[in-house]
Amino acid sequence: MAPAYYYSLANLIGKLGMSRTVSRPTLLPSLEHLQVAITGSMGDEITLTPEGHISVPSHSPVWVIYNFIKENEQSAVDLQQKYRKNKLEAEQLMESVKEDYKLKSLGVDMSVSYDQVITCCKNLLVCNDSIRYMLEGVNLVIAPYFAIMSDGDMYIMWDWVNDL
């Protein structure tokens, strides 16, 4: 896996470097503020992730990469800033929930976004005391589903509604 990724990365960097110096040296501004991930899949298209990363298949023609980056550079920067802001807010809210509920731990399922964590934590912080008492000492995980695991961990949906 790693050798194939390294080959794909070296191949793409080589294409970009040659194109930049030989044909159009000023076509693309500095990329220092962008995060680019190289994918090896042949069917993928260049995409912009919710985190602001540009996902580039290694087989992409240089001119397609240049055009995509030029067209999406500001969006990528904006998404990166929003992601960092939401991450910080989610971490702060999680700490508040953990302390307020006296949880043993508070975790997040990998499929849950920071926006969803923020929503869930804000809902938890406005709950009544009976829910707080029931969750005291629990390992709680914010997830896209409800579950109680055999080890006692409790998973709650990020968009749960307090009906009590």
Side-chain angles (χ1 to χ4, degrees):
M1 178 72 178
Y5 183 79
Y6 177 76
Y7 175 77
S8 295
L9 181 60
N11 183 33
L12 184 61
I13 289 171
K15 286 193 287 188
L16 286 171
M18 284 183 59
S19 176
R20 188 175 177 101
T21 57
V22 174
S23 61
R24 299 181 202 162
T26 60
L27 181 61
L28 202 57
S30 170
L31 303 178
E32 291 176 8
H33 57 287
L34 298 178
Q35 295 182 8
V36 179
I38 310 303
T39 63
S41 303
M42 291 301 286
D44 292 343
E45 295 182 12
I46 301 175
T47 58
L48 186 57
T49 69
E51 296 84 13
H53 301 166
I54 298 171
S55 180
V56 179
S58 60
H59 69 278
S60 300
V62 172
W63 65 270
V64 172
I65 298 169
Y66 281 148
N67 287 340
F68 186 88
I69 291 174
K70 279 178 57 178
E71 291 170 9
N72 294 282
E73 180 180 13
Q74 189 58 51
S75 295
V77 170
D78 293 345
L79 284 170
Q80 287 175 18
Q81 290 172 347
K82 179 182 179 205
Y83 179 80
R84 284 192 296 273
K85 177 186 156 291
N86 286 346
K87 180 180 179 186
L88 180 62
E89 183 179 358
E91 289 169 350
Q92 291 169 344
L93 286 168
M94 286 178 65
E95 190 59 37
S96 295
V97 168
K98 185 177 175 186
E99 289 175 13
D100 208 27
Y101 278 78
K102 298 180 178 120
L103 298 173
K104 187 174 182 181
S105 68
L106 178 59
V108 179
D109 185 88
M110 288 178 25
S111 64
V112 176
S113 72
Y114 287 121
D115 285 330
Q116 294 167 330
V117 170
I118 291 167
T119 298
C120 184
C121 287
K122 285 181 176 179
N123 286 340
L124 283 168
L125 289 170
V126 297
C127 281
N128 61 34
D129 289 336
S130 64
I131 292 177
R132 293 171 198 271
Y133 175 73
M134 288 188 287
L135 295 176
E136 188 174 319
V138 169
N139 292 319
L140 189 65
V141 179
I142 300 169
Y145 52 87
F146 285 110
I148 297 180
M149 302 303 191
S150 60
D151 61 3
D153 289 358
M154 182 183 292
Y155 286 62
I156 63 167
M157 290 180 70
W158 68 267
D159 62 348
W160 67 277
V161 178
N162 180 14
D163 289 334
L164 297 177

